[in-house]
Amino acid sequence: MTARVGVITFPGTLDDRDTQRAVRAAGLEAVPLWHRDKDLKQVDAVILPGGFSYGDYLRAGAISRFSPVMESVIGQAKAGMPVLGICNGFQVLTETHLLPGAMLRNNHLHFICRDQKLRVENAETAWTRSYEQGQEINIPLKNIDGRYVADERVLDELEAEGRVVFRYQEMNPNGSLRDIAGISNAAGNVVGLMPHPEHAVEPLIGTGRTDGLGFFTSILKRLVSA
């Protein structure tokens, strides 16, 4: 039986279909989930894709946090279901407090779109098992509210527990503290990052590389071995 990965669509989501395509490229079944529906359709994992949910009015991800589907996602995530938040999805995960910290406007106050080098700091999460610790990958980045911030206590805790999953290399594109590009919860089943792995799964699109495919093959390994 094929493992099923739900991909949520909020009003303003842009990358849901790209994410579904990436899920299928890894040999998984992509299941569309609508934000107003609490039913997760018996999926094995959930991805919150990028975009500008609710136009990023009020604050990026702040309104989506109250969508009916998130009640189910929060409950299942706390029970151990793998959840990945990409860009706006990462912002939603911080708003739900499934991940600590917050996302602020880029320090240069401009939208940025570029290929970004990352270092894999933790290859043991549900979404990074296909990588090696210390491996450098290159995937697209596009955001205006991408600056990760948290107080020093939280940052020290993330570092000490190995919960900084990705770190920006060569340049910090948005002023994120400690060059943090992605983090996980304590259990390692919930991961959020600002760059877009779904745009780097086929050599003809995105960076021209397939460095992002590992996110989706990682969750296949996780679900098959569960």
Side-chain angles (χ1 to χ4, degrees):
M1 184 176 178
T2 304
R4 292 159 50 86
V5 177
V7 179
I8 299 175
T9 299
F10 299 98
T13 295
L14 300 179
D15 298 306
D16 45 350
R17 293 189 180 183
D18 300 72
T19 303
Q20 291 171 26
R21 182 184 181 93
V23 167
R24 291 192 294 268
L28 297 148
E29 180 183 352
V31 180
L33 299 175
W34 183 237
H35 73 112
R36 295 189 65 178
D37 190 351
K38 290 185 179 181
D39 182 9
L40 296 182
K41 300 182 181 179
Q42 298 182 314
V43 297
D44 303 295
V46 169
I47 300 176
L48 284 67
F52 301 90
S53 62
Y54 290 93
D56 278 351
Y57 295 120
L58 181 61
R59 187 174 60 247
I63 301 176
S64 293
R65 179 262 177 273
F66 296 101
S67 289
V69 72
M70 289 309 300
E71 180 180 336
S72 301
V73 170
I74 292 168
Q76 289 300 308
K78 290 180 177 179
M81 175 182 281
V83 176
L84 176 65
I86 302 171
C87 196
N88 189 248
F90 185 11
Q91 295 160 344
V92 176
L93 291 179
T94 62
E95 291 289 339
T96 62
H97 304 296
L98 286 173
L99 292 176
M103 312 304 300
L104 300 182
R105 185 61 51 96
N106 295 345
N107 61 344
H108 45 73
L109 303 182
H110 295 288
F111 181 86
I112 188 168
C113 183
R114 69 185 306 270
D115 294 342
Q116 178 67 48
K117 184 177 287 187
L118 308 174
R119 185 173 69 235
V120 180
E121 302 282 34
N122 184 340
E124 300 298 325
T125 78
W127 298 94
T128 56
R129 294 184 178 190
S130 290
Y131 298 108
E132 299 291 334
Q133 185 166 340
Q135 181 178 349
E136 292 188 347
I137 61 175
N138 201 309
I139 59 178
L141 172 79
K142 50 177 185 174
N143 64 70
I144 193 168
D145 295 300
R147 178 161 55 108
Y148 179 75
V149 298
D151 63 39
E152 287 298 311
R153 178 188 60 81
V154 170
L155 292 170
D156 289 343
E157 184 177 272
L158 291 174
E159 300 277 13
E161 297 179 359
R163 292 167 56 193
V164 176
V165 182
F166 298 97
R167 214 181 295 269
Y168 295 117
Q169 296 295 287
E170 296 184 351
M171 70 164 291
N172 184 325
N174 46 37
S176 290
L177 297 181
R178 304 195 188 182
D179 298 328
I180 290 173
I183 62 173
S184 75
N185 66 343
N189 63 301
V190 179
V191 170
L193 79 160
M194 287 310 297
H196 287 259
E198 77 280 11
H199 294 323
V201 298
E202 296 175 296
L204 293 179
I205 60 173
T207 61
R209 299 162 54 139
T210 59
D211 291 7
L213 187 60
F215 284 81
F216 308 99
T217 58
S218 292
I219 198 59
L220 176 62
K221 291 178 182 178
R222 164 69 164 76
L223 296 175
V224 168
S225 63

